[in-house]
Amino acid sequence: MLRLLEIEYNKLRYSRSARILIITYFILITFIALIASIEFNIGQIQFRVADQGIFNFPYIWHFNSYIAALLKIFLAIVIVSMMSNEYSNRTIKQNLIDGLSKKEFILSKFLTVLVFSGISTIFLFIVTLILGYSFSDFTEISIVFSDLEYILAYFIKLTGFFAFCMFLGILIKRSAFALGFLVVWAIFESILYGVLNFKVFKGTDIATNIMQFFPLEAMSNLVVEPFSRLNAVQAAANQIGGELDKDYGIHWYQLLIVIAWVFIFVYLSLFLLKKRDL
Amino acid sequence: MTAVNNLSFSIEKGNVYGILGPNGSGKSTTLGMVLNVVNKTSGEFRWFDGNTSTHDALKKVGAIIEHPNFYPYMTAAQNLALVCKIKGTNKAKVEEKLEIVGLLDRKDSKFKTFSLGMKQRLAIASALLNDPEILILDEPTNGLDPQGIHQIREIIRKIASGGTTILLASHLLDEVEKVCSHVVIIRKGVKLYSGPVDEIVSSHGFFELKAINMNRLQELLEKHPKIGKITDKEGMLTAFLEEPMEAEDINRYLFEHGLSLSFLIKRKESLEEQFLQLTNQTAEA
């Protein structure tokens, strides 16, 4: 297992573009702190984002895991290209001839996916902790470490997304087209959702119930947007008479759906590799 | 589409084997199957008497297939270090093998800056990293200039003299003739011949002769018991042998019968002629 990770580490560390993307990704996560300094001056009203309570524990776990997850596209590029480059350099063939089994090949890639998600999660945990302690109004231990399930959901979400990218890299063999396919798939899911929700099953929950099993929808359901949870937004909604009633929680079955997708993607990748001639 | 059809052969330790066939005859496909990168529809293969799984066997094999495939952004030494990791061998051999193929002074250059000849030599170095028992080379001189071809052949000869079993696929006849002791000839995925290189056609060779009196020469040759077919080609007689005979013997025989030759040579069909003969036979059949 360590050997497989070492192999992948060796492949990635000398690739300049992969190095730049990975470093950019982690720097951008730390830049979440910069949101704190956003200020608007609308006439007499001064609006500071930091004062809106976004860095309060435990809300910050939710907020940061949502924002940080937006940046996952940087690592997605790294993962897609680390798969498809093996095809375009034809090194996958040489790897197999040199004595890596097909199972080991997929395993080494999946372990890399896990490591990327794991390091992102630990990194996010530390950044959030520091940010929280600097800005939060509450710093009691019991409050600080509540709602930690968002961190778990973040890890599962990233693993699911990266496993999807890994599969696309193998399926399509060209990084640009694989990323393009990812976008097309995202559009497909939202169109399908629209059609089901507003046409086929109008006025019922059926569309949502079906769509939660689709990979990207399942991943985005894990950490839903945190903005409407802010006091300011809630207050504004109340003023115009609307009521925001949204489920922000994380449910076990949502985690399970994404974990199931992870297995499906890994096994489909292995299946493709076994079936294809190189 | 059948690329390889009912092909079967075995190779023994210590010999240099050639797989010979025209382009598209299934050489690479055959090697791909035993290296587990091409899926076979039926049949089986065994490595090392069948005592090891293919996965383990490949760690005792060194192979290069068609193009040299390495990570372009990594240097020669980094690429070889990665191969060591995959094969699970010690990195210490990297410099030694680079030395063998004469790339030691370029070990810190990126792979993408290499010429084709250098890439090919790096591939051989990579295949040697685990001191393989069997070295598989698929068209190792393809696309190289004469100097590069010469370098690669020298390297192969050096490796072969160290007792490594070599399996070499090629469409170049003289390459196989120069390097290999045994040959498997295939055409359209079907085996035409397998055995030692010098026994491809059970021929004892032929004489080409010339004398002032050609009619008398032909007469005498026809009387000789060891000579079979005689053909006349551009003022020269070609006499095929049915039993082994040396040039001295025919010379003495003719001289004793009062005929002196102006030209005499004993030849064997080149591998090329034999190869064409073999492949044509089945084309008609």
Side-chain angles (χ1 to χ4, degrees):
Chain A
M1 201 126 119
L2 207 62
R3 165 177 160 257
L4 296 180
L5 270 178
E6 265 181 86
I7 290 171
E8 279 313 303
Y9 172 67
N10 264 307
K11 288 179 191 170
L12 281 175
R13 73 194 251 216
Y14 299 116
S15 161
R16 190 185 299 150
S17 39
R19 229 166 34 214
I20 291 174
L21 279 172
I22 292 169
I23 292 169
T24 313
Y25 170 76
F26 285 110
I27 290 176
L28 282 176
I29 290 184
T30 57
F31 277 10
I32 294 178
L34 281 182
I35 297 175
S37 56
I38 298 174
E39 284 183 21
F40 305 103
N41 282 310
I42 312 161
Q44 299 295 313
I45 311 159
Q46 232 192 18
F47 183 87
R48 273 190 67 195
V49 174
D51 293 338
Q52 298 306 308
I54 59 167
F55 292 139
N56 277 345
F57 286 118
Y59 174 74
I60 187 172
W61 295 119
H62 184 185
F63 182 80
N64 275 7
S65 49
Y66 180 79
I67 299 289
L70 296 178
L71 299 170
K72 64 182 183 293
I73 192 70
F74 284 94
L75 283 193
I77 295 170
V78 173
I79 287 163
V80 166
S81 56
M82 100 184 169
M83 301 308 299
S84 50
N85 280 349
E86 300 276 6
Y87 277 101
S88 46
N89 295 332
R90 298 163 61 89
T91 42
I92 182 170
K93 193 169 174 179
Q94 196 60 46
N95 279 182
L96 297 181
I97 291 171
D98 285 340
L100 209 62
S101 71
K102 291 180 176 180
K103 216 176 186 167
E104 281 178 329
F105 182 82
I106 296 291
L107 190 61
S108 75
K109 297 296 184 189
F110 181 60
L111 285 175
T112 313
V113 161
L114 282 180
V115 166
F116 273 139
S117 314
I119 293 179
S120 303
T121 309
I122 294 167
F123 194 74
L124 179 74
F125 180 79
I126 294 168
V127 166
T128 308
L129 215 56
I130 293 171
L131 216 59
Y133 269 111
S134 322
F135 292 99
S136 176
D137 300 333
F138 326 101
T139 49
E140 294 86 351
I141 294 291
S142 61
I143 294 181
V144 168
F145 291 108
S146 56
D147 279 7
L148 271 187
E149 65 265 27
Y150 282 105
I151 293 293
L152 174 71
Y154 174 77
F155 174 74
I156 301 290
K157 180 176 174 164
L158 285 197
T159 308
F161 189 69
F162 295 156
F164 191 24
C165 292
M166 172 181 121
F167 167 67
L168 288 183
I170 286 211
L171 177 73
I172 297 174
K173 304 186 204 170
R174 299 269 179 281
S175 31
F177 287 105
L179 286 169
F181 184 84
L182 188 66
V183 174
V184 170
W185 181 260
I187 294 171
F188 163 74
E189 273 195 30
S190 46
I191 289 178
L192 189 67
Y193 181 78
V195 169
L196 289 182
N197 199 28
F198 299 113
K199 283 272 175 227
V200 184
F201 302 112
K202 215 170 165 183
T204 63
D205 282 345
I206 298 174
T208 320
N209 287 337
I210 294 174
M211 289 309 294
Q212 67 176 339
F213 291 106
F214 280 71
L216 289 180
E217 182 68 18
M219 288 167 209
S220 83
N221 280 345
L222 277 184
V223 184
V224 294
E225 54 81 25
F227 305 110
S228 53
R229 228 178 136 186
L230 279 172
N231 286 334
V233 179
Q234 295 272 4
N238 282 337
Q239 269 177 9
I240 55 171
E243 199 169 320
L244 290 170
D245 178 27
K246 207 164 175 177
D247 183 3
Y248 299 102
I250 296 159
H251 304 287
W252 62 269
Y253 59 85
Q254 291 175 324
L255 290 171
L256 208 64
I257 293 170
V258 177
I259 291 172
W261 274 115
V262 170
F263 277 101
I264 292 170
F265 288 139
V266 171
Y267 279 98
L268 276 181
S269 306
L270 185 61
F271 173 75
L272 267 182
L273 189 61
K274 278 197 168 152
K275 218 188 77 185
R276 273 186 191 152
D277 290 338
L278 293 165
Chain B
M1 177 62 215
T2 311
V4 177
N5 188 6
N6 279 328
L7 180 65
S8 95
F9 61 92
S10 61
I11 63 173
E12 265 143 56
K13 206 175 161 71
N15 290 323
V16 179
Y17 285 84
I19 298 184
L20 185 61
N23 288 328
S25 56
K27 303 183 294 287
S28 300
T29 313
T30 307
L31 294 181
M33 281 190 285
V34 295
L35 292 171
N36 226 5
V37 290
V38 175
N39 294 320
K40 55 188 174 5
T41 37
S42 69
E44 61 172 307
F45 58 88
R46 276 174 307 179
W47 284 101
F48 306 117
D49 296 327
N51 297 324
T52 29
S53 70
T54 306
H55 175 57
D56 288 329
L58 287 184
K59 293 194 171 142
K60 294 200 267 176
V61 172
I64 50 168
I65 292 264
E66 289 164 344
H67 308 276
N69 303 321
F70 290 98
Y71 297 90
Y73 53 85
M74 283 159 65
T75 67
Q78 286 165 352
N79 266 305
L80 292 195
L82 180 65
V83 174
C84 282
K85 277 258 152 55
I86 292 175
K87 289 187 189 256
T89 53
N90 198 316
K91 264 202 294 201
K93 291 252 164 71
V94 169
E95 302 222 337
E96 176 197 327
K97 303 302 176 193
L98 281 173
E99 174 84 66
I100 292 180
V101 298
L103 281 177
L104 195 54
D105 51 332
R106 292 296 303 271
K107 75 183 171 92
D108 292 321
S109 306
K110 293 215 164 115
F111 177 68
K112 61 182 168 201
T113 65
F114 280 16
S115 72
L116 183 60
M118 291 160 78
K119 286 178 177 175
Q120 200 64 262
R121 279 185 282 149
L122 182 65
I124 293 183
S126 144
L128 289 174
L129 278 173
N130 53 346
D131 291 320
E133 290 179 37
I134 302 180
L135 183 63
I136 294 181
L137 302 167
D138 188 5
E139 313 243 347
T141 57
N142 211 4
L144 299 186
D145 58 14
Q147 203 194 349
I149 292 177
H150 182 71
Q151 279 176 329
I152 298 276
R153 285 194 189 147
E154 279 308 303
I155 293 170
I156 295 175
R157 242 190 289 266
K158 220 184 329 176
I159 299 163
S161 66
T164 309
T165 311
I166 296 180
L167 184 56
L168 172 90
S170 179
H171 64 270
L172 299 171
L173 297 143
D174 67 313
E175 182 161 290
V176 170
E177 198 170 23
K178 278 176 185 153
V179 179
C180 303
S181 58
H182 292 66
V183 66
V184 177
I185 298 181
I186 58 176
R187 189 177 142 275
K188 291 188 176 164
V190 180
K191 179 170 76 178
L192 300 180
Y193 171 81
S194 92
V197 168
D198 41 15
E199 287 174 20
I200 290 189
V201 173
S202 51
S203 146
H204 302 290
F206 56 89
F207 290 121
E208 287 178 337
L209 315 106
K210 224 187 215 171
I212 311 261
N213 189 345
M214 291 300 270
N215 291 337
R216 174 76 180 140
L217 176 61
Q218 179 143 14
E219 229 171 85
L220 282 171
L221 288 174
E222 274 163 3
K223 278 190 211 152
H224 196 283
K226 288 182 178 175
I227 286 176
K229 203 171 65 163
I230 300 166
T231 55
D232 193 339
K233 198 168 73 183
E234 292 155 21
M236 189 144 24
L237 288 185
T238 308
F240 291 89
L241 286 171
E242 287 184 332
E243 280 169 64
M245 180 166 58
E246 291 309 313
E248 299 97 278
D249 301 328
I250 189 79
N251 197 9
R252 193 180 308 119
Y253 164 80
L254 290 170
F255 192 74
E256 279 164 3
H257 288 80
L259 187 95
S260 49
L261 292 165
S262 59
F263 181 88
L264 167 65
I265 190 169
K266 184 184 176 188
R267 286 181 55 195
K268 281 201 159 192
E269 286 102 335
S270 72
L271 193 54
E272 186 165 345
E273 284 162 311
Q274 300 180 7
F275 176 66
L276 289 175
Q277 224 173 318
L278 260 176
T279 42
N280 283 340
Q281 275 168 9
T282 13
E284 287 156 19

